[in-house]
Structures are given as C-alpha cells and as structure tokens.
C-alpha cells in the first residue's frame, strides 16, 4: 500500500492552508520551528516505519492465524468488522494518550511534543522516539486483542496520521464548518485547547480521530476561545533552550513540574458549556 504520497500531500496542503489562514498567533519563526520539529522527528519516524508498523502488521497476522482477537469471535459483513476495528483502535489510542499524560514515565517523553512553543502541522511530527517504543508494546497488544486485520491496521494508520496532521495544524477553518465537523472528528480548535499552557485544558481533548470519545468520558473541554490560548508548557518557555539536542535528551533529565499559570481564567465557570466548541 502506498500511503506516503497521501501523507505528504496532506502535509503540504495543511502547511499552505495554515500559512494563508492562521488560527493562532505565532511566537517564533515558522522556519525555525519546522527545522527543529523535522529533525527531532527523524529517530521517531524511523522507528515508526521500521519497527512499529511491521510489529503491528505481524501481530495482526498472528491474531488472524490463531483466530484470537475480538473481531474473529462473531460473524458480520467485512465492512462492519472494519468499522468495529477502526473504533477499537481509535478508542485504545485515546486511552494511550491519557496514559501519556497521567503516568510520569510516559509524560517525560510526551512532554517533548507538548513543549513546542507554537502549534502547527510540524508539531504532528515532533514526537520523541521513546514514545514510539512505548507505543509498540501498547498498540501491539491491542492490535492483537482486537483482531484487526493487517489491512485494517494499515488503513487505520493512514487515517491516524492524516488526522494527527490535521488536528495539530494552525489552519483557521470557517467556524460553522469546524463546529459541524467536530461533532465527529477532532479538529484544530479542539486539539489547540489540548496544547494550552493551562493544565486543566491540556488534560482534556485526548482523542485522535473521533472526537466522541472525549464527550463520552467527559474529558472534552471545547469552550475556550482560540485567541485566549497560549500553547506550550509553562515551565519550558525558554525557546532558546529547546534545541534539537536538548529535546532528544529531555526525557532523561530532571523534569520540571508544570507550573501553575495565573491567567485570571475562572476554570469553574468555563466548565458550564464545555461540550460546545468555541470560536
Ligand atoms: Zn498530549
């Protein structure tokens, strides 16, 4: 399956679109961020392509051979099984993202992604290779248990990576369109809130493709206006320090606590309508 052209095309389209219609104001030069994020992503990208994907496909084949996973335990049309496989894989990735925020060891690696001072399509590349190694075990286990077929796994991966690029992008979609789209899918405004320096906002909106997991589990927080959002991690706000070498070493250093942001926002009142996407 030739997925690379799809992913490259999506990246180029989003890169151009967010340049023309930016959603949030930038703090640093776009080119600088693009270079840092691309280079930090190289080890992670290699592991994704040459370790994670082959392992996931192998485990899907093994599950099929043993007729072990959940999807092999009932009879239904292939299209139904594909939808069920997609939902299972996306749901387990939603949980994986929560674990990355809640378990200190996992947060060390996920922090590299979150401390990007600006949020755009290049942030979708910025993952530490340690996070990919962790996901080999976690995602591998759930591929095996779900009974997703090798084709399901590859197809889901293309959607997963395209969705990741889309919701990290700084593309200002017309608000009514995004609000409608957000009923089902994670969109740039929704994920922008997840990258906020306000801890309660960063600890929300964990979903990857389908936004309804967050609504279902009450982890959605959608009523924050984008112009109020400052992205990044407050204790890592010295941009000059966030070099490529530093970011690759970061998980192995002493991690700074989040640092409370006193921005005058009243979280309790903003909870009222948290399932309604703000402009
Ligand atoms: Zn996160």
């Amino acid at each position: 399956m030739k997925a690379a052209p799809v992913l490259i095309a999506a990246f180029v389209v989003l890169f151009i679109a967010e340049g023309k219609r930016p959603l949030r104001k930038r703090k640093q030069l776009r080119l600088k961020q693009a270079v840092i994020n691309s280079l930090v992503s190289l080890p992670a990208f290699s592991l994704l392509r040459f370790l994670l994907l082959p392992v996931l496909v192998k485990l899907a084949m093994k599950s099929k051979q043993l007729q072990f996973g959940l999807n092999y335990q009932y009879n239904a049309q292939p299209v139904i099984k594909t939808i069920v496989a997609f939902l299972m894989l996306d749901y387990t990735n939603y949980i994986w993202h929560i674990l990355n925020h809640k378990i200190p060891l996992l947060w060390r690696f996920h922090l590299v992604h979150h401390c990007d001072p600006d949020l755009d399509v290049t942030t979708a590349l910025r993952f530490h290779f340690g996070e990919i190694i962790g996901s080999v075990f976690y995602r591998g286990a759930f591929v095996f248990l779900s009974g997703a077929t090798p084709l399901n796994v590859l197809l889901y991966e293309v959607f997963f990576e395209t969705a990741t690029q889309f919701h990290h992008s700084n593309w200002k979609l017309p608000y009514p369109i995004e609000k409608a789209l957000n009923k089902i899918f994670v969109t740039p405004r929704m994920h922008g809130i997840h990258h906020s320096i306000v801890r309660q906002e960063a600890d929300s909106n964990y979903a990857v493709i389908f936004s309804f997991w967050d609504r279902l589990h009450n982890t959605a927080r959608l009523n924050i206006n984008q112009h109020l959002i400052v992205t990044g991690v407050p204790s890592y706000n010295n941009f000059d320090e966030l070099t490529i070498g530093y970011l690759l070493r970061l998980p192995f250093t002493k991690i700074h606590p989040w640092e409370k942001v006193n921005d005058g926002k009243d979280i309790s009142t903003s909870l009222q309508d948290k399932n309604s996407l703000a402009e």
Side-chain angles (χ1 to χ4, degrees), residues 97 101 110 113-114 194:
H97 191 184
H101 279 245
H110 194 53
H113 174 67
H114 270 269
H194 179 73

Side-chain angles (χ1 to χ4, degrees), residues 10-76:
F11 184 89
V12 171
V13 168
L14 290 166
F15 191 81
I16 294 170
E18 69 184 8
K20 286 209 154 119
R21 277 180 61 89
L23 180 59
R24 294 165 295 262
K25 278 204 194 101
R26 305 188 62 87
K27 298 178 215 157
Q28 57 175 356
L29 274 179
R30 201 175 176 206
L31 184 67
K32 184 186 171 194
Q33 185 198 12
V35 169
I36 290 176
N37 289 351
S38 308
L39 292 176
V40 165
S41 82
L42 287 179
F45 180 79
S46 310
L47 280 177
L48 174 95
R49 181 63 190 81
F50 299 110
L51 179 72
L52 178 65
L53 274 183
V55 167
L56 295 185
V57 171
K58 271 259 157 52
L59 286 165
M61 284 161 76
K62 195 76 193 158
S63 191
K64 188 176 183 179
Q65 188 194 346
L66 300 171
Q67 295 285 296
F68 181 83
L70 209 84
N71 247 5
Y72 297 113
Q73 311 310 320
Y74 65 96
N75 290 318

Side-chain angles (χ1 to χ4, degrees), residues 124-137:
L125 307 172
R126 178 187 173 123
F127 284 96
H128 194 277
F129 62 87
E131 186 169 338
I132 308 294
I133 294 173
S135 72
V136 172
F137 294 97

